[in-house]
Amino acid sequence: MSRLVVVSNRTADLRKPAAGGLAVALGESLQQRGGVWFGWSGKILEDVDGQPAPEGKVNFQRAGKVTLATVDLGRADYDAYYAGYSNDVLWPVFHYRLDLANFDTRFAAGYRRVNQLFARKLLPMLKPDDLIWVHDYHLIPLAAELRALGCTNRIGFFLHVPMPPPLIMAAIPEHEWLMRSLFAFDVVGFQSRADLLHFSHYVESEAGAEVLGDGRFRAYGRTTHAGAFPIGMDVDDFLRLAEAKEGREMFERMRDEYSRRQLLLGVDRLDYSKGLPQRIHAFRELLAQYPENRNRATLIQIASPSREDVEAYGDIRRQMDSLCGAINGDYGELDWMPIRYIHRNIARKRLPGLYRASRVALVTPLRDGMNLVAKEFIAAQDPADPGMLVLSRFAGAAEQLKDALLVNPYDTQGTAQAIQRALTMPLEERRNRHANLLRSIREQNIHWWTRSFLDALAGAQK
Ligand code: ADP
Ligand code: G6P
């Protein structure tokens, strides 16, 4: 079997818990197969006396069956490539937020520079039959840069975030270059059929692509395979976590504390794509429209700090502070607060217990590639008395999780009604829906995802 070389912007210390679907999913699959994981070290080399620090060497670290190979980034590169182009251009546009994008021309140059740096550093590590699997929007031009250096390996790409429709994509000044770069990969994978459709619409309408069948597209003088590979989770591993000491303790603590109340839960990175203000508005509407929930329902919203050096993330933080403060001020009692808002990461081993103690999970992004929290919540439930998932129709997960209560997060009233329905759903309906949801996340789990993508990559015609 060919060795696997995974490349992503963020690698993770595999011994520590990580927030972020990509780090969690890859950590699990690489540990099982073994291989190399290459990416940014997370370190920034600051300028010295106004001069950029010299380019760093590759650092190697062994963690179980995985070799982590990482490079540091200089300050200017980090600012332009990560904070700039990746998170101030591609992230907002791919999540349909043109209003938040900052099309500063210096960002694109830094993005290209870092992709070239990655290609230069990676090339000497490669063996001829390695399968290379590149992840996410930070590294769209990487295959093209590797090809320019003579690399002929099979290279696959998986986009963890949504692929926007062509007219939204076309707002990025470099859109043609980005889409052309995708054709340097042998396989391009998306989270959902909707994303794949947007890709095919773009290449057909903007690049006159020929659709060759079997997921093959010919454009820009090259052929690539494109497909939908919805990312899954390791259900059994998560259940083991739920059964472990911390998982059980967390569950018992929360169950006892909320024995006379109904617990609702949100777990997200603090990101404007997650629909957090809209969620708070819907919860407020629930308390206004269905007063029986006052003094009874509590929403725990955990939002881990994320990308704080990007302006839009500061704005969402201020917005959440003020919305949560206002609802607690307006509805709170001496012995009950409607919202517990926690602006922190929580340890992964405590998550399953928290999910299991919750009656309802609110997963209501305005746009999301997949959303693994939705799947983790399902996995952690007690099948005999499961909690209910309220899920945005705009999360990639909604294509698979049809038995959740699907909502439009922009519709405050509709979302409040769905939350009320979830809180009052009869046991039998909850059990039936949960059984279907669990089957779906078990069938298309993380092993299925890795296998189907790598089979497509290994089998792709060159
Ligand atoms: P994204 O990749 O956009 O962050 P996902 O829902 O796909 O969203 O993945 C998030 C992952 O990070 C999940 O595995 C989730 O358990 C974890 N996570 C998110 N927020 C937190 C948090 N506040 N504390 C602990 N883990 C978190
Ligand atoms: C999403 C992206 C990942 C990213 C993660 C955390 O899951 O798809 O690529 O790693 O968010 O974001 P960060 O910017 O901290 O890496």
Side-chain angles (χ1 to χ4, degrees), residues 261-262 282-298 331 333 336 338 416 420 423-424:
R261 303 210 192 280
Q262 302 260 57
F283 184 61
R284 193 184 173 104
E285 184 71 13
L286 176 88
L287 299 179
Q289 294 298 323
Y290 307 96
E292 65 269 32
N293 292 305
R294 294 183 204 165
N295 227 322
R296 185 137 196 270
T298 296
Y331 284 94
E333 303 280 350
W336 170 73
Q420 176 68 0
L423 284 168
T424 54

Side-chain angles (χ1 to χ4, degrees), residues 353-388:
L354 187 55
Y355 287 138
R356 201 177 174 106
S358 303
R359 183 47 58 221
V360 174
L362 303 182
V363 179
T364 54
L366 304 179
R367 194 75 187 99
D368 210 330
M370 173 52 64
N371 199 292
L372 287 170
V373 169
K375 296 186 174 181
E376 290 168 357
F377 177 75
I378 295 163
Q381 295 310 299
D382 173 2
D385 185 13
M388 197 55 218

Side-chain angles (χ1 to χ4, degrees), residues 17-20 24 233 238-239 241-251 254 263 265-269 300-304 344-358 361 372-381:
V24 172
M233 61 171 295
F238 205 67
L239 283 177
L241 218 53
E243 294 305 325
K245 188 165 163 279
E246 281 96 344
R248 281 204 322 269
E249 276 172 7
M250 186 70 183
F251 169 66
M254 299 311 283
L263 187 56
L265 179 67
V267 176
D268 308 76
R269 276 183 307 102
I300 295 188
Q301 176 61 57
I302 299 169
S304 53
R344 266 197 313 275
N345 210 353
I346 83 153
R348 189 158 177 80
K349 54 190 178 210
R350 299 170 74 188
L351 267 179
L354 187 55
Y355 287 138
R356 201 177 174 106
S358 303
L372 287 170
V373 169
K375 296 186 174 181
E376 290 168 357
F377 177 75
I378 295 163
Q381 295 310 299

